[in-house]
Amino acid sequence: MLLFTPGPTPTPEVIRAAMSVPTIHHRTPEFEEIFKTVREKLIKIMNMPEVLMLASSGTGAMEAAVTNLCKSRALSINAGKFGERFGKICKAFDIACTELKYSWDTPASIEDILREIDKNPEIDVLCIQICESAGGLRHDVEGIAKAVKSINKDIMVIADGITAVGVEKIDTAHIDVLITGSQKAFMLPPGLAMIGLSGAAVKKIESAPRGFYFNLASELKSQRKNTTAYTAATTLIIGLRAMLELIEKEGFEKFYEDTKTRALSAKAALEAIGLKIYPKSPALAMNTVYHERAKEIRAVAKKRYGVNIAGGQDELKDKLFRINNMGLIAPYEIAWALNAVELALDELGERAYDGAANRVFVSKFFKGVK
Ligand SMILES: *Cc1c(COP(=O)(O)O)cnc(C)c1O
């Protein structure tokens, strides 16, 4: 079965092999050396001055960012399931939150955000997804962050980059918190979250430490010394080192370039067989299609052609399907996933098979046909 869900993504053999070593103790010079290497590499690829690794799924890092940085009111962008989650985190901690809601196919507008900030001078953090995975939507976080900082540089911009870090190079110039998780573009098993921090975010965290397990001030203190406040996710961090070394062989630039070419080639292939790309501003992390029979298409792709693609969530559960594009993906694997979709449409009597998806993907991906 080919796993084509936008998280978890398949873990390459070399990374799995790297994690098959006996468990080592986390308070040892041996592990601290590994931690240091990974920490330095993450600082570089996240392009942030400070970085933390937490033993939790991505949501733990979202919670940590909100609870450690919001002191008065959050402004949360809700254009999908993950944006909605920031609001739920605020509610769980009795943190005041203003929510800006959008349809799941619509990116947030800078004007709306600036208007809310103008109305609510107590807003001190902005929470937003870079890619909102519910609808495969890309928000212009870089532009939004820049505009927010130009009117109030003290507002902390918390960017959930769980399906953006490792997909494309993110301009972090105006971002204070950049969150990611192990099981998306980093191709590791679930269980490790990473947070990039700006100098201003570090200052704010250290000025008023909060929480216990997700107390980022105590993590900062430990992780600067290449250890963690509590037991580190040693095996995942060893896997992360292997993953970063694997990508570094050809470089992250090449990794991003391949991801982009593959995303756009697959998108063109889906459009060539008459499918509608759902979001108005599609992210590169996945291709998201709206179809009344999405559920049946997925079922056929899985049962007959061995391809596991994701559905939607909530009201769009059965109306969307999402094909992952994060990580190292062999072109013959994505080509087969696209074939499976085209074959499923044929089987369901929606469109006669003519091989267009495969032809368009291959000619774009390998021949650079525009
Ligand atoms: C997957 C995902 C999350 C949630 O991460 P978990 O690891 O499941 O807690 C949050 N935000 C986005 C954008 C995601 O894609």
Side-chain angles (χ1 to χ4, degrees), residues 167-187:
V167 170
E168 55 180 311
K169 191 166 168 62
I170 316 272
D171 174 7
T172 52
H174 305 285
I175 291 174
D176 294 291
V177 184
L178 181 63
I179 299 166
T180 197
S182 54
Q183 80 276 26
K184 309 269 168 107
F186 282 7
M187 303 175 279

Side-chain angles (χ1 to χ4, degrees), residues 25-311:
H25 197 278
H26 56 293
R27 309 282 181 212
T28 53
E30 207 186 336
F31 181 69
E32 283 167 19
E33 186 57 39
I34 295 169
F35 193 91
K36 180 172 187 277
T37 304
V38 172
R39 182 176 142 75
E40 285 167 1
K41 287 184 192 298
L42 279 179
I43 285 176
K44 211 169 115 206
I45 78 138
M46 288 181 102
N47 194 22
M48 300 291 282
E50 191 55 81
V51 75
L52 294 173
M53 287 172 257
L54 302 173
S56 85
S57 87
T59 305
M62 292 168 72
E63 175 176 321
V66 171
T67 56
N68 281 261
L69 282 159
C70 187
K71 306 293 173 192
S72 48
R73 176 177 288 273
L75 173 61
S76 172
I77 307 306
N78 175 355
K81 200 79 191 152
F82 298 103
E84 178 187 58
R85 190 167 295 177
F86 273 127
K88 286 184 170 173
I89 291 169
C90 290
K91 195 158 175 230
F93 287 93
D94 278 325
I95 292 170
C97 177
T98 298
E99 197 174 67
L100 254 181
K101 255 183 134 161
Y102 292 91
S103 157
W104 288 17
D105 64 351
T106 307
S109 99
I110 295 181
E111 294 70 39
D112 293 349
I113 291 171
L114 296 186
R115 196 180 320 116
E116 283 308 320
I117 291 173
D118 195 48
K119 272 200 293 194
N120 291 293
E122 74 273 29
I123 286 170
D124 65 342
V125 308
L126 168 71
C127 303
I128 185 167
Q129 276 53 48
I130 298 178
C131 163
E132 169 53 80
S133 313
L137 176 77
R138 179 67 157 87
H139 287 299
D140 174 19
V141 174
E142 296 89 337
I144 289 167
K146 189 174 179 200
V148 166
K149 291 288 184 181
S150 74
I151 60 162
N152 182 353
K153 67 171 179 34
D154 293 331
I155 294 177
M156 295 283 111
V157 176
I158 299 175
D160 167 1
I162 297 178
T163 46
V165 175
V167 170
E168 55 180 311
K169 191 166 168 62
I170 316 272
D171 174 7
T172 52
H174 305 285
I175 291 174
D176 294 291
V177 184
L178 181 63
I179 299 166
T180 197
S182 54
Q183 80 276 26
K184 309 269 168 107
F186 282 7
M187 303 175 279
L188 291 164
L192 185 70
M194 290 141 275
I195 308 187
L197 297 169
S198 69
V202 168
K203 232 168 150 179
K204 193 167 178 186
I205 288 164
E206 290 182 328
S207 71
R210 187 162 180 222
F212 188 76
Y213 185 71
F214 287 132
N215 182 320
L216 299 184
S218 52
E219 286 299 342
L220 276 164
K221 206 168 146 218
S222 297
Q223 298 196 21
R224 282 187 182 124
K225 291 184 277 187
N226 301 310
T227 187
T228 46
Y230 311 104
T231 307
T234 49
T235 306
L236 288 168
I237 292 170
I238 288 168
L240 180 54
R241 180 179 63 171
M243 176 274 183
L244 294 169
E245 285 171 354
L246 175 67
I247 303 302
E248 279 169 358
K249 274 191 203 156
E250 292 196 61
F252 268 86
E253 290 306 322
K254 172 84 167 54
F255 185 47
Y256 297 146
E257 196 184 300
D258 285 350
T259 299
K260 185 174 182 183
T261 309
R262 194 175 54 239
L264 299 179
S265 305
K267 176 172 172 279
L270 293 163
E271 287 170 332
I273 52 172
L275 294 172
K276 184 188 177 315
I277 299 295
Y278 174 70
K280 289 175 190 152
S281 56
L284 297 171
M286 66 199 75
N287 273 298
T288 305
V289 169
Y290 182 91
H291 199 289
E292 286 298 322
R293 301 179 75 186
K295 190 183 175 184
E296 292 165 89
I297 294 169
R298 287 177 55 222
V300 175
K302 188 171 178 184
K303 194 158 168 244
R304 280 191 46 104
Y305 305 109
V307 180
N308 185 359
I309 57 182

